[in-house]
Amino acid sequence: MKTEAGLVTVENLLQTLDTPLVVFDIGCRWGFQEHWKRLEPAVQLVGMDADEQEVETLNTLNKKKDFFPKVLGAKSGYGNFYVTQDPACNSLYPPDEKLTHIRPILAVTKLVSTKTAEISTLDEWAEEKGFSNIDFMKLDVQGAELDILQGAQKILQTVRVLEVEGQFNPMYH
């Protein structure tokens, strides 16, 4: 498919699809990236975050209710969830308190409280919500990326593109 100028764009290609591409943003604080939003309605955007207040804010700001509050992990059940000074640093893993003394910029990871959270696997959540495939998945979940992948064995087989935040300096235990 070519446009009038003879160029093929992602937007043009997406218009040829029978169904929208399914894009999951897990750890969706601050919402979807602009490059995804401009591709709607050719993409179905689904955001998940452990911070219920952030999800409520995102759903209020957006016309659709595409954001879901959920803590994902390797197994379903209950576990500790570590709340930090900056909610963007909350995690299934406790922050390394030694780092906040050594690197003042990491004070945002200082532990404020620990709470019990209900944890689900991505496979279970996706099945419950009726998702049989994910075309693109982004993970930014403060050290729990591998946990989520371990709990997504079935749905992961459908993922075409995976974007995972990696951290080479330990911030969490």
Side-chain angles (χ1 to χ4, degrees):
M1 168 181 275
K2 291 188 178 186
T3 64
E4 289 178 25
L7 301 173
V8 177
T9 65
V10 171
E11 291 87 347
N12 296 126
L13 288 173
L14 288 173
Q15 299 306 321
T16 67
L17 298 175
D18 294 333
T19 59
L21 293 177
V22 178
V23 176
F24 267 47
D25 184 340
I26 303 171
C28 66
R29 181 165 288 279
W30 304 299
F32 301 115
Q33 295 173 340
E34 285 302 319
H35 62 271
W36 290 116
K37 290 193 290 190
R38 73 181 168 90
L39 297 177
E40 287 187 292
V43 295
Q44 178 183 2
L45 301 175
V46 178
M48 300 174 74
D49 200 272
D51 186 341
E52 291 180 24
Q53 184 176 354
E54 176 70 7
V55 168
E56 184 178 319
T57 299
L58 290 169
N59 278 326
T60 300
L61 294 173
N62 293 277
K63 294 176 184 167
K64 298 182 196 172
K65 304 297 183 200
D66 294 328
F67 297 94
F68 300 90
K70 197 69 188 163
V71 178
L72 296 173
K75 295 184 229 173
S76 291
Y78 290 88
N80 287 334
F81 188 74
Y82 300 91
V83 179
T84 58
Q85 184 175 328
D86 182 340
C89 299
N90 294 348
S91 178
L92 284 175
Y93 292 97
D96 186 344
E97 60 282 340
K98 291 178 186 176
L99 288 178
T100 59
H101 298 296
I102 297 170
R103 297 186 182 121
I105 195 168
L106 294 179
V108 294
T109 67
K110 185 176 180 179
L111 185 64
V112 173
S113 65
T114 303
K115 65 180 185 177
T116 301
E118 182 178 2
I119 302 168
S120 176
T121 68
L122 182 55
D123 278 342
E124 291 169 345
W125 187 89
E127 186 175 331
E128 175 188 316
K129 296 294 185 184
F131 289 97
S132 59
N133 74 293
I134 299 172
D135 295 295
F136 180 93
M137 182 166 60
K138 180 217 110 188
L139 292 168
D140 180 357
V141 290
Q142 304 311 110
E145 288 82 3
L146 181 58
D147 295 73
I148 292 173
L149 292 172
Q150 290 171 333
Q153 296 300 306
K154 182 179 177 186
I155 197 82
L156 196 55
Q157 294 176 37
T158 70
V159 174
R160 297 175 189 200
V161 179
L162 180 63
E163 177 185 338
V164 180
E165 179 188 57
Q167 187 64 254
F168 298 104
N169 296 310
M171 292 175 53
Y172 301 91
H173 291 287

